Amino acid sequence: GEALLEWLTTGGDLSFSLAGQGVASLASQILAAVGDRGSGRKWAPVAGGRRYRVSHPAIGSSTGYKGPNFIGTRNAPGFLMHGPYVALPAGCYETQLGGRLGQGGAGDAWIDITGERGTVEIARFDLGDVLSTQDRTLTRRLPFRLERACEDLEVRLWVDAGTDLTFTRLDILVAK
């Protein structure tokens, strides 16, 4: 399902410790890593937060083309992804986007985290700084701090006409 495609496109890890585990336990771990528990679910809990898939109604795009499990660039500038407009209390958080950079590169793309309908910028990152250069995936967690509660937290991914990127998910996590 969705999770298997996400795992394949973002270089997921299936390494587990085998010491003292039976076949049933290992099978359960593999299914949890690549399976989609509940095919109708658009978001999933992850350790310390929530994962929003591109099929979630609060994840939008003003410039990309939306497939069933991804949003891809189409040689046009604008917000490839924006959302989920969630309320969060004050505190320290991290966000992580899932996706893979194509042969065209990052261009001048950036990610920002905003509140108050996009008028208050909380954090901003250049896309080139958050990519894994070895496998060209979005892997780095992006830290941000909310000094006060936010009623409509929005993460935005802006791309230029030269950006070649496939976006698959957004995680919002409580920082450790």
Side-chain angles (χ1 to χ4, degrees):
E2 251 181 284
L4 179 58
L5 177 63
E6 179 181 322
W7 177 77
L8 290 171
T9 62
T10 60
D13 182 18
L14 281 178
S15 60
F16 302 108
S17 170
L18 301 177
Q21 295 189 40
V23 173
S25 174
L26 291 173
S28 176
Q29 289 182 53
I30 291 170
L31 287 173
V34 300
D36 185 0
R37 302 208 182 227
S39 60
R41 189 166 61 196
K42 307 285 189 221
W43 67 269
V46 293
R50 279 192 171 182
R51 170 166 292 166
Y52 296 87
R53 298 186 176 121
V54 297
S55 55
H56 191 283
I59 301 295
S61 178
S62 61
T63 192
Y65 63 94
K66 202 167 186 178
N69 304 311
F70 67 91
I71 301 173
T73 53
R74 61 166 94 215
N75 302 322
F79 288 109
L80 181 65
M81 185 279 305
H82 53 85
Y85 313 99
V86 295
L88 291 175
C92 294
Y93 298 90
E94 296 174 325
T95 189
Q96 183 175 14
L97 284 72
R100 179 174 289 281
L101 194 62
Q103 296 303 315
D108 289 325
W110 47 264
I111 299 163
D112 73 353
I113 301 165
T114 68
E116 297 183 32
R117 298 183 181 166
T119 62
V120 175
E121 187 173 80
I122 298 163
R124 183 179 170 125
F125 308 89
D126 288 332
L127 186 64
D129 295 338
V130 302
L131 288 168
S132 164
T133 55
Q134 187 173 20
D135 60 8
R136 302 174 61 83
T137 58
L138 299 170
T139 56
R140 188 171 147 227
R141 289 186 176 185
L142 309 174
F144 66 97
R145 179 176 178 79
L146 295 176
E147 297 296 331
R148 61 177 194 249
C150 179
E151 296 302 316
D152 63 347
L153 185 89
E154 176 184 22
V155 179
R156 304 184 299 188
L157 170 56
W158 189 90
V159 297
D160 67 12
T163 306
D164 183 5
L165 180 70
T166 301
F167 167 78
T168 56
R169 65 167 169 77
L170 168 68
D171 295 346
I172 298 176
L173 312 162
V174 176
K176 294 179 181 182

